[in-house]
Amino acid sequence: MAARGRGAGLRWAAVGALAAVLVALPPVIGALPASDADVPAAELRAAVLASDAVGFSGYAVSAGGLSLPVTDQLTSVADLFSDRTTMRIWWRGPLDNRVDVVTAAGETGTHRDATGTWTWEYEAATATRSSLRPLDLPAPPDLLPNALGRRLLSEATDGELARIGARTVAGRDALGVRLTPAEEATSVERVDVWVDPDSGIPLQVEVFAKEAERPALDTRFLDLEVAVPPSEVTGFTPPPAAWVRQGQQADVVLEAGRRIRPVALPAQLAGLDRRQLAGVPPGIGLYGRGVTLLAVAPVPFRLANGLRATLARSPEAVTDELGTRIAAGPVSLMVVQPSGEGPYVLTGTVTPDALAAAAAELPELAAAR
């Protein structure tokens, strides 16, 4: 065991050193001149959306600056959007890929297939099987530049897009396309996506909140090889001695969905149209499109009271007759308690003023006015 421990220590020391070198490279490489090309923004968007099945492998890093006020059940989500996450990726397609999160303490790999994901915690020898669900909580693979860039551009209109020149990312000339949301309620100033023109793969994504000089989220490739990795790398079978368990992460959201009381939510809130998503409990309302999204749900008192207390501890929190609300970068949260009725939670990439407007339009509050 001692020999194994020394070997593991040396291995992670080497990985840590490599990650440190890779993280240090982007500012140096990015300073080199990049070659631009006369490619329209709409054409770049089309290339990004068509790149889903392009195979590649590489390293990426995601850095977030959001201090999300969440409960203990969701600390992993808060860490994901507030810390630096280093990832090694093997991508054969959206339903056949592997993403290893590398830290000083060890490695956790996520292997996705057509029916779900395996999460392999190397140091704990634990394999967790999770099914794919529409309300899965965000995970490191969701912040890969290729996945995030494609998702954010997928509903953008041509009028929201503009070219912004070129820069060097992961040693490649990347063409820039800027998404400026049209919705008045949005809390996102802009999204800059830097695209490899040969493959269409987004190499870097920066999300800026309104009136912010630094991105609230910056995810980029540090190294990229465009070639289909072998299937034995992305596939996963738990080793004989592994502890195998069933994933429970999404149950936090689903349990809230099962316990909400039925409310006839309106077709529009804060100027955003309601949208339908398969598998979402009917009591949860989803509004908006693209990068401007709002979710609202009537929730149990215990959940609302805990979240309200967490929000109220922040010096930036606003409490008035509508409820308690706060903004963390482009993400806003609000707890609403109508008189004599059950509470609501509202959250999304909208401004706190938009949350207040949406809260005032909820059935029980609107009827009381």
Side-chain angles (χ1 to χ4, degrees):
M1 292 293 292
R4 181 179 183 273
R6 285 196 299 272
L10 290 172
R11 182 165 68 91
W12 293 123
V15 170
L18 175 61
V21 170
L22 289 172
V23 169
L25 283 177
V28 178
I29 296 177
L32 300 176
S35 178
D36 201 351
D38 188 18
V39 181
E43 187 174 323
L44 273 182
R45 173 186 178 274
V48 167
L49 299 185
S51 70
D52 207 13
V54 176
F56 67 86
S57 57
Y59 277 94
V61 62
S62 170
L66 305 183
S67 299
L68 296 177
V70 297
T71 63
D72 292 341
Q73 290 176 303
L74 300 179
T75 52
S76 62
V77 178
D79 291 343
L80 184 63
F81 287 96
S82 62
D83 292 338
R84 179 181 292 270
T85 304
T86 302
M87 296 168 280
R88 179 78 168 97
I89 311 102
W90 296 264
W91 187 275
R92 291 172 54 85
L95 296 178
D96 186 359
N97 56 73
R98 171 183 170 185
V99 180
D100 289 357
V101 174
V102 181
T103 68
E107 172 185 303
T108 299
T110 300
H111 301 250
R112 177 166 290 181
D113 56 47
T115 61
T117 61
W118 281 106
T119 301
W120 172 241
E121 300 172 60
Y122 177 85
E123 300 298 324
T126 300
T128 304
R129 180 63 178 176
S130 302
S131 58
L132 298 178
R133 304 176 182 179
L135 288 184
D136 279 346
L137 296 175
D142 298 316
L143 295 188
L144 290 174
N146 62 307
L148 184 62
R150 187 168 51 253
R151 185 163 59 252
L152 296 182
L153 291 179
S154 63
E155 296 182 332
T157 65
D158 289 352
E160 293 175 311
L161 301 177
R163 282 296 318 279
I164 51 171
R167 68 167 52 164
T168 302
V169 183
R172 295 170 176 263
D173 291 337
L175 306 184
V177 58
R178 174 165 294 171
L179 164 59
T180 304
E183 284 78 11
E184 184 178 350
T186 189
S187 57
V188 176
E189 179 71 29
R190 69 182 191 273
V191 177
D192 292 344
V193 182
W194 303 90
V195 183
D196 175 24
D198 295 328
S199 65
I201 296 174
L203 300 178
Q204 182 177 5
V205 179
E206 298 172 296
V207 180
F208 290 82
K210 285 187 172 178
E211 300 180 359
E213 295 182 359
R214 299 176 61 85
L217 180 65
D218 181 353
T219 178
R220 69 181 76 177
F221 282 108
L222 307 174
D223 177 71
L224 182 72
E225 179 183 357
V226 180
V228 180
S231 58
E232 56 266 27
V233 176
T234 58
F236 180 79
T237 300
W243 179 32
V244 179
R245 64 183 183 182
Q246 190 65 31
Q248 303 292 324
Q249 186 186 51
D251 290 347
V252 175
V253 181
L254 292 177
E255 178 62 20
R258 284 192 289 265
R259 295 170 60 189
I260 60 179
R261 54 196 172 86
V263 172
L265 293 171
Q268 190 179 79
L269 284 177
L272 303 175
D273 293 330
R274 189 171 184 178
R275 59 191 298 166
Q276 300 297 324
L277 184 63
V280 175
I284 295 179
L286 300 177
Y287 297 82
R289 64 174 183 87
V291 299
T292 306
L293 296 172
L294 167 66
V296 55
V299 296
F301 281 95
R302 183 176 179 182
L303 188 155
N305 290 340
L307 183 56
R308 182 189 297 108
T310 302
L311 297 182
R313 286 196 291 269
S314 171
E316 288 81 26
V318 174
T319 299
D320 54 25
E321 68 278 3
L322 290 173
T324 301
R325 56 190 180 272
I326 191 173
V331 179
S332 296
L333 274 164
M334 183 174 187
V335 179
V336 177
Q337 176 69 65
S339 178
E341 304 291 347
Y344 291 85
V345 168
L346 298 87
T347 185
T349 49
V350 297
T351 64
D353 287 345
L355 282 189
E361 297 167 0
L362 292 173
E364 291 151 343
L365 279 172
R369 288 174 171 252

